[in-house]
Amino acid sequence: MGRKLTIPDLLAKVEKGEPLSMITCYDYPSARIIDQAGVDIVLVGDSVAMTVLGYPTTLPATMDMMLIFASAVSRACERAFVIGDMPYMSYQVSISEAIRNAGRFMAEAGVDAIKLEGGRNVIEAVRGIVKAGIPVMGHLGLTPQSASAIGGYKVQGRTAQTAINLLEDALALEEAGVFAILLELVPARVAAVITEKLHVPTISIGSGAQCSGHCQIFHDAIGMFEAFTPRHAKRYAEVGAILREAMARFVAEIKDGTYPGPKHSFKITREEFRQFRAYAEKR
Ligand code: KIV
């Protein structure tokens, strides 16, 4: 299995030209499988609000919820680097609250780093968290917590000025001490230039092939989120279809008496049963 990956290990991979793999995850059994498969980084994303809890946005995710999901994933990952995603309003209200909540992820959930959305608008929070000794991953481009303000879930940085803003945000985050930046839905050529200009790695989710690593939402990658499939997502399995078929067989076997069979039942000795039967007959 190998030992737990650290930030220097991740940076060494990038230095060697090995792209990093990152996937979201929110539960223990899935995290075990992901860890055993050799994924480098597991993000306990606030996307859990949509993929697992069925909300239409990520905004309802709270710190208390995120700590439960993050600690399950941390317990499962022996090798992968685990990142806790700071939920809506856990770092925007004040710098001290941001540091306290980042610290809760580390101390209570046992993650290796935190991620938060935004650039120059959250730079003091990033600085404070980094100063507290907590590694931070930045997140630019489509930042789902501000979807309403940025006009929905759409590609960011399509004009020269918005691309410049992204580059300046990325440079500010790097200067504030982030160890990597997630670029979500940024045009591939813009993401490539930002990657070239930074010393820290970039991780792409829908931002092209030239970033230092690549991320997907677990439920998109395994075919478990059927509400919609984003254009950048690639399905590596049809787990939803497999589970539906398994549950349909379960229902059918209960109806036709195939399940449970003799091997799914437990025995009592003949003598114990004789005594029990005698008792039951008198009732
Ligand atoms: O919450 C999340 O899953 C994210 C994705 C964009 C990776 O931030």
Side-chain angles (χ1 to χ4, degrees), residues 48-59:
V48 67
M50 298 172 76
T51 54
V52 172
L53 301 179
Y55 289 108
T57 71
T58 60
L59 303 193

Side-chain angles (χ1 to χ4, degrees), residues 22-26 43-49 51 58 66 85-86 115 117 139 142-145 182-185 203-205 215-218 232:
M22 172 163 141
I23 194 102
T24 64
C25 184
Y26 325 97
L43 171 70
V44 187
D46 62 356
S47 52
V48 67
T51 54
T58 60
M66 293 304 296
D85 200 12
M86 301 277 285
K115 173 177 87 57
E117 297 181 8
H139 180 167
L142 170 62
T143 45
Q145 289 174 17
L182 179 69
L183 295 176
E184 180 168 0
L185 293 201
I203 309 286
S204 158
I205 178 158
C215 175
Q216 277 218 70
I217 301 281
F218 182 61
H232 58 273

Side-chain angles (χ1 to χ4, degrees), residues 118-180:
R120 286 163 290 178
N121 57 326
V122 292
I123 213 69
E124 291 313 323
V126 171
R127 244 189 260 288
I129 297 168
V130 169
K131 224 186 250 176
I134 299 171
V136 177
M137 174 179 276
H139 180 167
L140 294 172
L142 170 62
T143 45
Q145 289 174 17
S146 357
S148 175
I150 62 181
Y153 295 85
K154 51 189 195 193
V155 177
Q156 302 293 309
R158 271 192 153 148
T159 64
Q161 189 53 55
T162 54
I164 289 168
N165 290 345
L166 282 177
L167 174 61
E168 291 302 329
D169 279 333
L171 291 169
L173 285 172
E174 176 173 80
E175 194 272 322
V178 300
F179 71 93

Side-chain angles (χ1 to χ4, degrees), residues 1-272:
M1 164 87 0
R3 65 167 176 77
K4 185 87 176 164
L5 291 175
T6 62
I7 292 174
D9 295 326
L10 299 175
L11 300 181
K13 279 174 182 261
V14 174
E15 192 64 33
K16 277 194 300 191
E18 183 185 326
L20 299 174
S21 50
M22 172 163 141
I23 194 102
T24 64
C25 184
Y26 325 97
D27 68 278
Y28 182 90
S30 306
R32 293 283 300 167
I33 293 166
I34 288 168
D35 195 51
Q36 287 158 7
V39 173
D40 296 313
I41 305 172
V42 178
L43 171 70
V44 187
D46 62 356
S47 52
V48 67
M50 298 172 76
T51 54
V52 172
L53 301 179
Y55 289 108
T57 71
T58 60
L59 303 193
T62 64
M63 268 310 292
D64 288 342
M65 278 181 199
M66 293 304 296
L67 290 173
I68 292 170
F69 295 119
S71 63
V73 170
S74 292
R75 282 193 292 277
C77 288
E78 291 175 14
R79 178 186 168 278
F81 189 84
V82 179
I83 302 180
D85 200 12
M86 301 277 285
Y88 186 57
M89 286 302 138
S90 67
Y91 55 97
Q92 293 93 338
V93 176
S94 72
I95 296 165
S96 57
E97 232 177 278
I99 299 170
R100 189 170 305 112
N101 284 326
R104 288 191 71 194
F105 262 118
M106 301 295 283
E108 296 176 38
V111 302
D112 303 303
I114 62 94
K115 173 177 87 57
L116 51 76
E117 297 181 8
R120 286 163 290 178
N121 57 326
V122 292
I123 213 69
E124 291 313 323
V126 171
R127 244 189 260 288
I129 297 168
V130 169
K131 224 186 250 176
I134 299 171
V136 177
M137 174 179 276
H139 180 167
L140 294 172
L142 170 62
T143 45
Q145 289 174 17
S146 357
S148 175
I150 62 181
Y153 295 85
K154 51 189 195 193
V155 177
Q156 302 293 309
R158 271 192 153 148
T159 64
Q161 189 53 55
T162 54
I164 289 168
N165 290 345
L166 282 177
L167 174 61
E168 291 302 329
D169 279 333
L171 291 169
L173 285 172
E174 176 173 80
E175 194 272 322
V178 300
F179 71 93
I181 300 177
L182 179 69
L183 295 176
E184 180 168 0
L185 293 201
V186 173
R189 294 171 73 189
V190 173
V193 171
I194 293 173
T195 302
E196 207 179 281
K197 289 286 168 191
L198 293 176
H199 298 98
V200 295
T202 55
I203 309 286
S204 158
I205 178 158
S207 301
Q210 304 304 313
C211 290
S212 328
H214 299 281
C215 175
Q216 277 218 70
I217 301 281
F218 182 61
H219 290 68
D220 290 339
I222 64 166
M224 268 287 284
F225 187 67
E226 296 174 324
F228 62 88
T229 305
R231 180 187 142 124
H232 58 273
K234 179 169 178 184
R235 284 198 188 184
Y236 290 86
E238 295 298 338
V239 171
I242 292 169
L243 294 185
R244 197 174 295 107
E245 139 79 4
M247 288 299 101
R249 272 177 38 221
F250 174 63
V251 171
E253 289 198 357
I254 286 174
K255 279 191 184 150
D256 70 15
T258 312
Y259 180 85
K263 70 175 180 191
H264 307 113
S265 306
F266 302 92
K267 291 195 164 65
I268 183 171
T269 63
R270 192 184 292 253
E271 176 52 23
E272 294 298 328

